[in-house]
Amino acid sequence: MTAATTPDAGGLRARTRELLAAHPPATTAPDEFLRARFDAGLAWVHYPEGLGGLGAPRSLQAVVDAELEAAGAPDNDPRRIGIGLGMAAPTILAYGTEEQKRRFLRPLWLGEEVWCQLFSEPGAGSDLAALGTRAVHEPADGGDWVVDGQKVWTSSAHTARWAILIARTDPALPKHQGITYFLCNMTAPGVEVRPLRQITGEAEFNEVFLTGVRIPDSHRLGEVGQGWAVARTTLMNERVSIGGMRIPREGGMIAKVAAAWRERPELRTHDLHQRLLELWVEAEVARLTGERLRQQLAQGQPGPEGSGMKLTFARLNQEISGLEVELLGDEGLLYEDWTLRRPEIVDFTGRDAGYRYLRAKGNSIEGGTSEILLNIVAERVLGLPAEPRDDKDLAWKDLAR
């Protein structure tokens, strides 16, 4: 749309009400409503017209969301498709071809296709740029890339149709320079997904083995060798999507322990009361800071500040879940079921207190370890000197492994 036709807040409000009138939430199937919302440009209003948006300022998404929430309209579930919404979509928008955007964004937003992230490897977790999964171009054989390697900690790989993948395409270059970014079909021959059982008994994430997996060059995202720059866009969006999640006042982990305090007066002690008050205030500060971060994000791409929010998210979840277990005493040590499950959604606050306590331990690892994020905050937010890196300019093939 041109600047003259880009809707303002009033125009978006009217457009949303037209959608609700044409597709009343009470009588419209959720899938049908979401399709109509996308086609009306109200999925993510800052995306281009035809791709779920209207080219409007990102900040105006709140206008649409408020109207839809007030009407009780259905929404997509970020617990099931969060990797697609928070990581794949903004990266495809930033680096994808027009054909890629039109092919992938609509089914991604509708939840028709689940995405996962093939980044970390057994020898390249915190030092992701050291990854060794290889992608070799075969121009004489249709121009496909042939991928071999292993990925690990892949959430939702067992339900995913597509994956965002980074692989090494030139081992003679320094580790950050010889990487290329791909969109990988998880149903392609040579893709094997194996569950990794967690401390909770569940297997939310997996290890993925890639053996001779063919990826057409049309599924390469960005230029050859520029995958690290593309991946940084993904990672920054990931940290905002985890640390800056929109939650109501007294929502998330603090809601559980506050409810237990109100409903179980026999458990209360002065010491626990003081700690609960302190954590409640911290949770509220984090919620409001997350809102401010989303407002800043509305003006452009996410920056390193998202790493700070993700750090806070992990620390608070671990401290609050620990307080809940302590408050409940012996009852807090109970755990309802150790059966191996492969859940379709990631729910940090679900099930019982024992589950929340154990699951929160992963918050300081997933989406970037707290140690790595502290370095990012130190260097890119506070402007402190970078850590010495003696391997930065060495060819990847010459690095000790």
Side-chain angles (χ1 to χ4, degrees):
M1 306 184 81
T2 65
T5 60
T6 299
D8 56 12
L12 279 173
R13 193 172 290 110
R15 193 181 187 95
T16 306
R17 290 173 181 173
E18 290 173 4
L19 169 69
L20 292 166
H23 303 274
T27 58
T28 304
D31 290 350
E32 180 185 345
F33 185 89
L34 291 176
R35 284 192 290 270
R37 177 180 170 182
F38 186 95
D39 295 339
L42 300 173
W44 30 44
V45 298
H46 61 291
Y47 277 39
E49 190 173 10
L51 298 176
L54 298 167
R58 185 171 187 160
S59 57
L60 294 182
Q61 185 67 50
V63 174
V64 174
D65 292 344
E67 290 289 328
L68 294 176
E69 184 177 355
D75 203 351
N76 46 31
D77 188 350
R79 298 175 304 167
R80 187 175 75 89
I81 59 173
I83 293 174
L85 294 173
M87 299 162 64
T91 310
I92 292 171
L93 181 67
Y95 290 94
T97 64
E98 286 304 310
E99 181 180 356
Q100 289 169 339
K101 294 173 188 176
R102 294 190 179 280
R103 163 60 187 86
F104 292 111
L105 291 177
R106 190 174 192 270
L108 180 158
W109 191 86
L110 295 173
E112 296 172 348
E113 293 178 344
V114 176
W115 285 72
C116 66
Q117 178 191 24
L118 297 177
F119 276 29
S120 295
E121 299 182 7
S126 294
D127 186 12
L128 178 59
L131 63 90
T133 293
R134 286 296 312 277
V136 178
H137 194 213
E138 295 189 349
D141 191 13
D144 288 354
W145 295 82
V146 180
V147 181
D148 291 276
Q150 179 187 357
K151 298 292 184 175
V152 76
W153 320 129
T154 308
S155 298
S156 303
H158 55 292
T159 62
R161 174 67 172 79
W162 292 96
I164 45 178
L165 162 72
I166 49 177
R168 189 156 305 282
T169 49
D170 192 341
L173 292 175
K175 61 183 181 180
H176 291 86
Q177 298 176 29
I179 295 171
T180 302
Y181 198 115
F182 299 95
L183 309 178
C184 177
N185 183 347
M186 291 295 289
T187 67
V191 177
E192 180 187 0
V193 178
R194 301 180 189 173
L196 288 172
R197 193 171 188 181
Q198 299 155 235
I199 194 173
T200 60
E202 296 182 332
E204 286 175 20
F205 49 54
N206 312 265
E207 53 185 347
V208 179
F209 295 85
L210 306 161
T211 306
V213 178
R214 305 190 73 87
I215 299 179
D217 191 57
S218 60
H219 287 174
R220 170 174 48 83
L221 197 65
E223 299 299 323
V224 174
Q226 298 301 308
W228 186 251
V230 183
R232 285 185 61 181
T233 297
T234 301
L235 295 171
M236 287 190 295
N237 278 283
E238 177 184 25
R239 287 152 194 169
V240 170
S241 67
I242 295 176
M245 290 186 292
R246 177 177 282 107
I247 58 175
R249 189 181 189 203
E250 199 178 284
M253 196 74 79
I254 196 67
K256 304 294 184 179
V257 66
W261 180 270
R262 294 188 179 103
E263 296 164 7
R264 305 281 299 278
E266 73 277 9
L267 302 176
R268 301 173 187 170
T269 69
H270 177 74
D271 177 60
L272 292 177
H273 188 213
Q274 288 300 113
R275 288 168 56 195
L276 174 59
L277 289 175
E278 291 169 2
L279 288 172
W280 194 99
V281 170
E282 285 197 58
E284 180 65 6
V285 170
R287 184 185 73 84
L288 295 174
T289 304
E291 181 61 37
R292 183 174 65 179
L293 179 64
R294 288 190 296 275
Q295 292 171 0
Q296 292 174 343
L297 181 59
Q299 310 304 319
Q301 289 294 322
E305 297 83 2
S307 296
M309 279 304 304
K310 200 272 177 178
L311 278 166
T312 300
F313 165 85
R315 179 183 62 80
L316 276 176
N317 271 5
Q318 291 172 358
E319 291 188 11
I320 292 169
S321 62
L323 176 61
E324 183 183 21
V325 167
E326 190 173 347
L327 173 67
L328 295 175
D330 293 346
E331 181 184 333
L333 299 177
L334 299 177
Y335 193 77
E336 61 174 341
D337 188 2
W338 288 96
T339 303
L340 173 63
R341 305 181 186 183
R342 304 190 76 187
E344 293 190 3
I345 64 172
V346 177
D347 187 357
F348 297 132
T349 62
R351 297 174 66 177
D352 55 21
Y355 172 85
R356 286 189 284 275
Y357 177 76
L358 294 174
R359 182 60 185 82
K361 300 306 178 188
N363 292 165
S364 53
I365 302 172
E366 58 200 341
T369 66
S370 292
E371 292 77 10
I372 291 297
L373 299 186
L374 284 169
N375 279 350
I376 292 173
V377 171
E379 295 175 18
R380 301 181 195 169
V381 178
L382 301 179
L384 299 178
E387 282 194 346
R389 296 178 175 91
D390 57 7
D391 64 350
K392 186 176 180 180
D393 298 319
L394 293 177
W396 177 85
K397 63 183 178 59
D398 297 329
L399 296 178
R401 283 183 294 280

